[in-house]
Amino acid sequence: MSNDIIPNTYSQQPDERGHFGPYGGRYVAETLMPLILSVEQAWNEAKNDLKFWAEFHELAKHYIGRPSPLYFAKKTTEHFGGAKIYFKRDELNHTGAHKINHCIGQVLLAKRMGKTRIIAETGAGQHGVATATVCALFDIPCTVFMGAKDVERQAPNVFRMKLLGADVVPVSSGSASLKDAMNEAMRDWVTNVHNTYYLIGTVAGPHPFPAMVREFQSVIGKELREQMEEREGRLPDTLIAAIGGGSNAMGLFHPFLDEPDVNMIGVEAGGMGVDTDKHAASLTGGTPGILHGMQSYFLQDEDGQIQEAHSISAGLDYPGIGPEHAWLFDQKRVNYVSVTDQEALDAFQLCSKLEGIIPALEPSHAFAHVAKIAGDLPKDHIIVMNLCGRGDKDIFTVAKKLGVEI
Amino acid sequence: MNRIEQKFLKLSDKGRTALVTFIMAGDPSLKTSAEVLKALPENGADIIEIGMPFTDPAADGVTIQKAGLRALEAGATLRHTLDMVKNFREDDSETPIILMGYANPLFAYGMADFAKTASEYGVDGLIIVDLPPEEDCILREHTQQYGLDIIRLITPTTDEERLPKVLDGAGGFLYYVSITGVTGAAKPDPEALKPHIQAIKSKSKLPVVIGFGIKTPEDAKNMAGLADGIVVGSSIVEKIALLQGDKKDISDVSDFVKSLSTALK
């Protein structure tokens, strides 16, 4: 590993074979390999095509509602009495989270490749809803794989996907959760390789998906640079984002990776605690391995068997993480921490009451870490937290935890 | 000459198609699995593939997925799988053994240690489904040192342009995946396979074995002669699934393997 060498740039990864240091790559069955290569070729052409980006930005503006506002959270700032806190409000996007950014990008690519069917995996259902949404918009048949357990606990999102015209396939193999939904999507892809595009929901999977999803999500960080310049005339000091697979964090961080004065913190889901066996913190509680087409960090036992993740937030409930985060973790460019279910639950309520914004449980993890550090920082220290999703989908989970019947 | 080469030479002298049988290590229990393994050659298996159980087998159908989970439930680990081969080799020094599975358990074990132990214990080749030629250097640098063959998969999507990449570094035999899909899925059409097999044969001297979707003695018969060997996996594993725990009588599995072998004669 190249841990001892400080690279002169953090933003120019991966290499041409999709590696971020030892991580990333294309660990897929031979049947999929030619297709992965054709996705890469199509992506390389698209990303240099101004027309492709014109269409992306047109939809980003008028369909998603971008740019998302940069909001000064005055009451939160006063409450903690330290750093100046801003929210990047990606929860105001159409469909209520940042997922729509990479769904628009990838559906445009699928269309460009002449694919006539789209598949996706989903945990909480946010990526599934966003995928079903863009498939409705572009009139492409859509199948979403979802762990049978998640189908049960996320009924409103299952109904949304169906309303949008998607087929939702409950996956009962393995542990019937997000990782198994991803396995099942891979199995479908291998079977329907000729006409199908797999719209992966985070900065994970085989190359070029981690780099491509990052590129679509980095619209968040690029907007932030401009907005911060306008508001404060300088760069932010600290960026904070929640991490499951890592798409919203990568989108926020990437445009700032080569700014040495910008500190970045990724917040993993600590579940019942990283020292227990019930968490989803792949970096702070996992080890390097190979799964779902990539080398990265995973929750696994010493025999290399993948373990189940646990988090109050279904969107963070994945036993792996995108390979670029694995690399940034080893390089110590980004600081990765974890927040427990209880801390996230408290943050969920505090943010709702302070700002009149009900955050999703995912960014509630980020907010919980803001709560831990903001008070000790000087008043001229600027924190930007990615408020990557709204909490409407989580009210049932939270009510149950609080012992409230709705 | 290694065991794989010797086996194919012997079979081609007799004009026979090799029967390659797949079982999952530790399924349904460590003990029963070892007994099934031991009985395979005497019932006509020419080459044996042993699956290394993994929690997330993304290229396998339901039958093999369940077999892996049964094995893990029974306490199987990669160490057990290697020990199983070591024990098998005490009585059988001829039948080639191929270990088949996914990269992560090997990665956790350590690629170098794994290659060394596998070679010492009498493994002949490896099929690692999620290590395509683009990524298998992490294993190949060690297998070369210890004389293990990396067996490459060729699929209906491996086109003419890609084939040389797959052949470069391939050893043992070539595994032609007959369909786009997972193990235990749809049946391949022998006639449609012919041109693909011929195309591969024109580019490589390695024996070609056809796998995926071959389930019955009748399927085996239809495929005989089309290539140098055929793989039967899911339908054997289905018979093994019916063995309960440490049940002694494995004759249903043995009889089934015998019927496959007879069909190829």
Side-chain angles (χ1 to χ4, degrees):
Chain A
M1 286 186 215
S2 55
N3 293 11
D4 302 322
I5 307 156
I6 297 171
N8 51 19
T9 171
Y10 291 96
S11 64
Q12 299 307 308
Q13 303 280 331
D15 66 17
E16 71 284 357
R17 290 166 56 230
H19 289 103
F20 302 87
Y23 306 110
R26 292 173 285 216
Y27 295 85
V28 297
E30 174 61 25
T31 311
L32 286 179
M33 203 59 211
L35 179 65
I36 295 280
L37 294 170
S38 76
V39 171
E40 185 188 353
Q41 195 187 348
W43 164 237
N44 284 338
E45 285 164 16
K47 75 179 172 192
N48 293 311
D49 182 352
L50 293 176
K51 266 197 227 151
F52 178 83
W53 288 110
E55 199 173 358
F56 175 82
H57 288 297
E58 176 77 9
L59 286 163
K61 185 173 177 186
H62 299 293
Y63 191 70
I64 301 178
R66 302 210 71 90
S68 68
L70 178 66
Y71 167 72
F72 171 49
K74 186 161 174 278
K75 283 182 72 194
T76 302
T77 300
E78 283 165 3
H79 181 81
F80 296 127
K84 193 170 183 183
I85 299 159
Y86 282 91
F87 294 162
K88 179 65 175 154
R89 303 221 24 215
D90 256 51
E91 102 280 11
L92 292 174
N93 293 339
H94 177 44
T95 71
H98 69 288
K99 296 288 183 193
I100 191 82
N101 299 332
H102 65 231
C103 286
I104 288 285
Q106 288 191 74
V107 79
L108 291 175
L109 188 73
K111 211 179 65 159
R112 203 181 158 98
M113 292 179 72
K115 298 294 178 188
T116 54
R117 176 174 175 264
I118 282 180
I119 57 170
E121 85 294 340
T122 196
Q126 290 308 98
H127 173 64
V129 167
T131 304
T133 298
V134 299
C135 287
L137 181 65
F138 285 92
D139 211 13
I140 300 177
C142 171
T143 301
V144 179
F145 295 93
M146 190 169 184
K149 280 184 203 160
D150 292 329
V151 168
E152 214 167 284
R153 62 185 176 181
Q154 303 288 340
N157 271 344
V158 173
F159 184 62
R160 279 186 193 104
M161 287 185 269
K162 288 182 178 168
L163 271 180
L164 292 160
D167 271 336
V168 179
V169 180
V171 176
S172 49
S173 63
S175 58
S177 64
L178 177 56
K179 77 174 175 75
D180 307 285
M182 206 155 172
N183 292 336
E184 210 56 39
M186 301 279 263
R187 290 179 191 123
D188 180 294
W189 207 17
V190 114
T191 308
N192 300 293
V193 63
H194 296 291
N195 68 345
T196 299
Y197 181 89
Y198 179 14
L199 206 157
I200 294 182
T202 187
V203 285
H207 179 65
F209 287 93
M212 175 169 66
V213 171
R214 174 193 77 198
E215 194 59 32
F216 293 132
Q217 289 297 350
S218 67
V219 66
I220 300 172
K222 286 174 191 160
E223 285 173 7
L224 173 61
R225 276 193 87 120
E226 276 181 34
Q227 291 166 322
M228 191 49 74
E229 182 60 35
E230 200 175 293
R231 299 285 284 276
E232 299 278 354
R234 68 177 183 92
L235 291 168
D237 298 298
T238 298
L239 305 176
I240 299 185
I243 301 202
S247 60
N248 90 81
M250 222 46 252
L252 179 71
F253 295 166
H254 191 259
F256 296 93
L257 283 176
D258 284 332
E259 298 292 350
D261 295 333
V262 180
N263 176 36
M264 298 175 200
I265 303 172
V267 186
E268 293 192 291
M272 314 292 279
V274 177
D275 50 353
T276 70
D277 62 355
K278 290 205 180 323
H279 63 83
S282 311
L283 290 176
T284 44
T287 48
I290 296 167
L291 183 72
H292 293 152
M294 60 182 174
Q295 189 172 146
S296 190
Y297 277 71
F298 298 96
L299 301 180
Q300 55 184 327
D301 68 15
E302 57 186 21
D303 196 39
Q305 305 298 339
I306 305 301
Q307 290 171 323
E308 272 185 70
H310 166 86
S311 170
I312 189 173
S313 149
L316 304 179
D317 205 349
Y318 175 62
I321 189 162
E324 190 164 13
H325 285 294
W327 182 72
L328 293 167
F329 173 71
D330 278 6
Q331 296 291 330
K332 300 186 170 62
R333 172 63 187 97
V334 176
N335 183 23
Y336 293 89
V337 299
S338 71
V339 150
T340 64
D341 284 353
Q342 187 57 51
E343 289 168 331
L345 199 58
D346 294 344
F348 180 94
Q349 297 168 80
L350 182 61
C351 181
S352 301
K353 282 181 183 141
L354 277 177
E355 297 292 349
I357 298 171
I358 302 175
L361 280 167
E362 292 80 17
S364 295
H365 283 72
F367 191 86
H369 191 72
V370 170
K372 285 182 189 174
I373 64 168
D376 295 330
L377 292 166
K379 288 194 173 7
D380 62 352
H381 185 103
I382 299 173
I383 292 179
V384 180
M385 183 196 100
N386 203 6
L387 218 176
C388 62
R390 66 173 184 231
D392 307 50
K393 69 180 174 68
D394 294 317
I395 54 169
F396 304 99
T397 308
V398 173
K400 202 174 159 191
K401 283 277 172 192
L402 299 177
V404 179
E405 258 185 59
I406 50 174
Chain B
M1 202 185 283
N2 68 29
R3 286 189 201 98
I4 298 175
E5 288 167 333
Q6 276 171 1
K7 180 62 81 174
F8 278 106
L9 194 67
K10 208 166 143 189
L11 289 169
S12 85
D13 284 349
K14 291 188 200 161
R16 278 204 54 182
T17 305
L19 173 62
V20 184
T21 56
F22 174 93
I23 62 166
M24 180 65 76
D27 171 35
S29 71
L30 301 175
K31 195 164 164 243
T32 307
S33 182
E35 280 175 36
V36 170
L37 172 63
K38 199 177 166 189
L40 288 173
E42 64 202 49
N43 288 293
D46 298 303
I47 296 174
I48 300 169
E49 278 178 22
I50 303 178
M52 299 176 278
F54 184 46
T55 40
D56 295 78
D60 281 302
V62 175
T63 303
I64 309 285
Q65 286 171 39
K66 286 188 174 162
L69 293 179
R70 277 196 301 272
L72 291 172
E73 193 70 23
T77 64
L78 189 49
R79 167 66 62 186
H80 285 125
T81 305
L82 290 165
D83 285 343
M84 193 168 143
V85 177
K86 189 185 185 192
N87 293 333
F88 174 83
R89 276 280 171 257
E90 284 172 9
D91 303 315
D92 186 320
S93 58
E94 274 178 32
T95 310
I97 297 273
I98 314 298
L99 294 187
M100 185 168 187
Y102 295 80
N104 201 51
L106 277 61
F107 190 85
Y109 194 100
M111 293 287 179
D113 283 351
F114 173 79
K116 182 169 185 279
T117 310
S119 165
E120 277 173 14
Y121 286 10
V123 173
D124 301 287
L126 302 170
I127 303 175
I128 309 302
V129 180
D130 53 354
L131 283 185
E134 280 80 355
E135 303 289 353
D136 71 5
C137 52
I138 56 171
L139 178 61
R140 207 142 46 95
E141 58 178 317
H142 306 295
T143 53
Q144 276 166 350
Q145 187 184 343
Y146 296 108
L148 283 168
D149 283 325
I150 294 270
I151 290 155
R152 290 269 174 77
L153 301 173
I154 298 174
T155 74
T157 59
T158 315
D159 59 19
E160 223 172 274
E161 196 190 329
R162 181 167 170 78
L163 190 57
K165 173 121 194 149
V166 178
L167 295 177
D168 182 25
F173 56 86
L174 297 166
Y175 189 127
Y176 185 73
V177 176
S178 63
I179 49 149
T180 56
V182 294
T183 52
K187 261 181 203 173
D189 168 12
E191 281 306 310
L193 291 180
K194 260 185 197 163
H196 292 283
I197 305 294
Q198 277 158 7
I200 298 165
K201 285 267 179 200
S202 72
K203 293 275 159 48
S204 172
K205 289 198 169 68
L206 289 172
V208 178
V209 158
I210 303 172
F212 282 43
I214 304 171
K215 291 175 182 167
T216 63
E218 198 192 347
D219 296 342
K221 196 171 190 166
N222 291 337
M223 291 287 173
L226 201 58
D228 303 289
I230 57 151
V231 186
V232 182
S234 295
S235 61
I236 296 175
V237 170
E238 274 166 16
K239 300 271 187 253
I240 293 172
L242 300 173
L243 304 174
Q244 292 299 316
D246 280 338
K247 182 182 165 185
K248 278 271 178 270
D249 186 8
I250 59 165
S251 57
D252 284 355
V253 180
S254 298
D255 291 347
F256 181 63
V257 173
K258 205 178 280 174
S259 70
L260 293 166
S261 173
T262 308
L264 287 174
K265 273 176 189 160

